[in-house]
Amino acid sequence: MYHCWRNNEPITKKNESKEHIIPNALCGKRKPKTLLCDTCNNELHFLDRRLSEDLDFILANLSCKRDSGSAPPIIAVSSDGTEYKMKNGKAKLKDPVFPDSPTVAYVDGKKTEIYNIVARSLDEAHAMVEGLKKKYPDKDFVVEMKKIEVYLDSLNTNSIILSDESFRAIAKIAVNFYMWKVGKKGNIEGAIDYVNGLSKEEIVGIYYNEEAKNLKDCEIAHILYIKGDKEEKILYCYVSLFGAIDFIVLLNDDYNDENYEELYSLNVETRHEDITRFELSLTNTQIKEIINDELPIEDLKRGLGKTNRIIEAKNVLNAVADIITEHIANNNLDTIAKLINEWDNIKSKIDSYPHLATLHCPYQVEVRTQPKLKCDCGLDQTVYMLVSLNISGTVFLQIQIYCNMCGKIFSSHEVKEHITS
Ligand SMILES: [Zn+2]
Ligand SMILES: [Zn+2]
């Protein structure tokens, strides 16, 4: 029989509820039914919500999986001052642009008024053009449309504010993790009081330790690590969110139980829980310093900066992948040839992000397509196309078109020949 760690109610089929160890809003995965009764789960939910609001600028730039809903959009500003809505790692213009007056130019020696309209979708563009025609029924319009790709500059990380509720939400993650793995409520009563708002004594501090995390270059992961140290008489939990913001939660400073350690990790993109190496050993005095010190702004910026660079790199790659997918969506070789021709263009865009090359992010998109390509083996239907982008020192695009039947790989030279013949 399990009991709710908040109000001690026995957990039954009637009042059981799934409590995410790491909040669902932060893309958490594990959600045991053995931690909180449904009443307490609901009553503490505002802490999780507050934490995800405080971290919205990270969440809006990621497309990690959640059980329900996606992170709300945030407004980001590019270097030219244009406002964008960021959501699930994608940037969209916040408002359409409709000029008050046209610019005047001479086209083929003829005085021409040019209205530069920027819309957020093709439908919106059409509607705006129709609006313009209605407004000036006497004018002749020539409409030219083109799709613009958006790459945002670095995100603004200067203004991070963590509320008291967010610190309680961090302590709740630590309490959940301990209760899930060990379940000895008697060892963490003080921390539970803190989560419940009954104790004002600070038990959470920000702690940045790049070495301990040991994350791969492109990894965005949550890490939880509990340590019980009976010599130091402390039980504490390290909580790292998105590899960007790290906390120490002091669960007990008069710990008399056994030495203990437990590690949990979650890659928010792959959903793998496979980090096995982690080392951290803090003394009672060190932990007290971490908790009582002023907010280490520089450390905070360093951690956020690194995660932002990873997110930004991935967003650029995703945008490139979208372009590639679009180019080959029509299932014919003409578009693939266009893509090959366009590659230099795409590459120069990637190259304009110098720090992309300092990360090691193998990135692969596999697309099935059906170009009308006749293979020697007789198959002229399905061929697979593998597009990989590889970022490690240099960026290169590899397009492989291979026969589904015999495995023959067509060279891009062969593909081009097919198109021209
Ligand atoms: Zn309860
Ligand atoms: Zn074949």
Side-chain angles (χ1 to χ4, degrees):
M1 168 77 74
Y2 290 97
H3 290 79
C4 170
W5 61 248
R6 185 164 176 255
N7 65 359
N8 290 322
E9 283 294 312
I11 291 177
T12 63
K13 279 271 166 238
K14 260 192 165 158
N15 70 356
E16 70 180 12
S17 70
K18 289 175 184 164
E19 164 68 358
H20 282 82
I21 306 284
I22 295 166
N24 178 41
L26 305 187
C27 320
K29 184 174 176 179
R30 298 288 173 157
K31 41 184 182 197
K33 292 178 184 171
T34 54
L35 298 173
L36 290 172
C37 72
D38 54 355
T39 308
C40 293
N41 194 330
N42 288 332
E43 284 177 8
L44 288 179
H45 183 66
F46 77 100
L47 295 178
D48 298 348
R49 202 177 50 229
R50 194 58 204 266
L51 179 62
S52 71
E53 282 166 10
D54 284 352
L55 300 180
D56 63 355
F57 64 95
I58 298 181
L59 288 165
N61 285 290
L62 276 173
S63 55
C64 63
K65 277 211 191 83
R66 315 207 289 184
D67 285 345
S68 60
S70 55
I74 58 157
I75 305 300
V77 184
S78 70
S79 53
D80 66 2
T82 316
E83 286 188 320
Y84 292 92
K85 261 189 193 167
M86 289 294 301
K87 192 176 158 81
N88 295 331
K90 303 226 182 224
K92 253 195 167 167
L93 201 66
K94 184 172 162 267
D95 301 304
V97 180
F98 200 98
D100 295 331
S101 56
T103 52
V104 177
Y106 285 87
V107 180
D108 298 331
K110 210 174 141 199
K111 194 179 169 193
T112 308
E113 292 180 344
I114 298 169
Y115 290 87
N116 221 335
I117 292 172
V118 189
R120 293 164 298 187
S121 67
L122 199 58
D123 284 348
E124 188 174 69
H126 282 299
M128 286 168 79
V129 169
E130 285 312 306
L132 202 61
K133 284 180 180 171
K134 262 194 194 136
K135 199 173 169 190
Y136 305 106
D138 301 337
K139 290 182 183 174
D140 282 333
F141 281 96
V142 178
V143 180
E144 271 177 35
M145 283 198 198
K146 71 170 182 189
K147 201 178 165 190
I148 309 169
E149 292 111 27
V150 174
Y151 301 93
L152 274 193
D153 320 280
S154 308
L155 306 159
N156 183 359
T157 57
N158 295 329
S159 57
I160 172 163
I161 299 162
L162 290 171
S163 55
D164 287 350
E165 285 84 2
S166 283
F167 280 95
R168 282 167 64 192
I170 297 295
K172 178 166 166 267
I173 293 172
V175 166
N176 274 339
F177 185 43
Y178 184 77
M179 290 305 290
W180 179 40
K181 289 295 178 187
V182 185
K184 291 184 187 172
K185 191 184 162 183
N187 278 338
I188 57 166
E189 293 287 0
I192 290 174
D193 283 349
Y194 178 84
V195 175
N196 284 328
L198 300 173
S199 159
K200 291 278 172 239
E201 195 184 331
E202 284 307 327
I203 60 164
V204 183
I206 289 179
Y207 173 72
Y208 186 76
N209 186 332
E210 192 63 53
E211 291 71 44
K213 273 189 285 197
N214 229 327
L215 290 176
K216 292 191 197 87
D217 260 354
C218 285
E219 207 162 28
I220 300 180
H222 297 316
I223 298 172
L224 305 180
Y225 174 78
I226 281 185
K227 188 155 189 162
D229 183 336
K230 65 178 176 189
E231 283 72 42
E232 286 288 329
K233 295 190 134 219
I234 43 174
L235 177 68
Y236 59 96
C237 182
Y238 167 85
V239 177
S240 175
L241 299 177
F242 301 106
I245 312 182
D246 310 346
F247 304 86
I248 292 290
V249 181
L250 182 58
L251 291 167
N252 187 342
D253 69 348
D254 187 25
Y255 180 71
N256 293 304
D257 214 331
E258 289 158 35
N259 283 335
Y260 177 80
E261 62 181 338
E262 184 76 42
L263 175 66
Y264 173 79
S265 72
L266 174 66
N267 182 313
V268 297
E269 292 169 308
T270 64
R271 313 291 284 160
H272 293 159
E273 301 166 303
D274 55 3
I275 295 171
T276 50
R277 278 189 310 151
F278 188 83
E279 267 174 59
L280 187 65
S281 197
L282 296 168
T283 63
N284 194 321
T285 318
Q286 283 173 316
I287 289 184
K288 295 275 164 67
E289 276 172 15
I290 291 166
I291 291 169
N292 296 317
D293 270 2
E294 273 182 40
L295 215 61
I297 297 289
E298 286 311 311
D299 282 353
L300 206 55
K301 278 190 182 167
R302 209 144 44 98
L304 286 169
K306 184 167 187 223
T307 300
N308 273 340
R309 283 197 299 281
I310 297 173
I311 291 174
E312 192 185 311
K314 290 189 174 179
N315 286 345
V316 174
L317 290 176
N318 279 328
V320 170
D322 281 352
I323 300 172
I324 292 169
T325 311
E326 207 171 274
H327 269 81
I328 54 184
N330 300 331
N331 284 340
N332 69 58
L333 286 175
D334 289 351
T335 49
I336 295 170
K338 272 189 207 140
L339 172 64
I340 294 169
N341 290 335
E342 183 130 324
W343 173 242
D344 284 342
N345 218 342
I346 297 172
K347 192 177 177 307
S348 70
K349 269 180 198 136
I350 299 177
D351 286 344
S352 64
Y353 285 80
H355 59 252
L356 275 180
T358 66
L359 295 168
H360 295 270
C361 300
Y363 190 89
Q364 214 168 62
V365 219
E366 192 170 350
V367 193
R368 281 162 187 246
T369 181
Q370 292 176 298
K372 291 185 188 71
L373 198 65
K374 203 164 177 71
C375 180
D376 301 338
C377 73
L379 187 81
D380 61 356
Q381 278 278 310
T382 308
V383 288
Y384 286 88
M385 181 157 150
L386 189 72
V387 179
S388 40
L389 290 172
N390 203 320
I391 306 243
S392 46
T394 55
V395 183
F396 62 88
L397 172 79
Q398 187 190 9
I399 299 180
Q400 251 183 28
I401 299 180
Y402 58 97
C403 175
N404 191 22
M405 191 103 94
C406 71
K408 174 189 159 147
I409 296 171
F410 293 85
S411 66
S412 62
H413 181 70
E414 272 178 291
V415 175
K416 274 184 180 168
E417 259 179 12
H418 270 267
I419 298 159
T420 45
S421 66

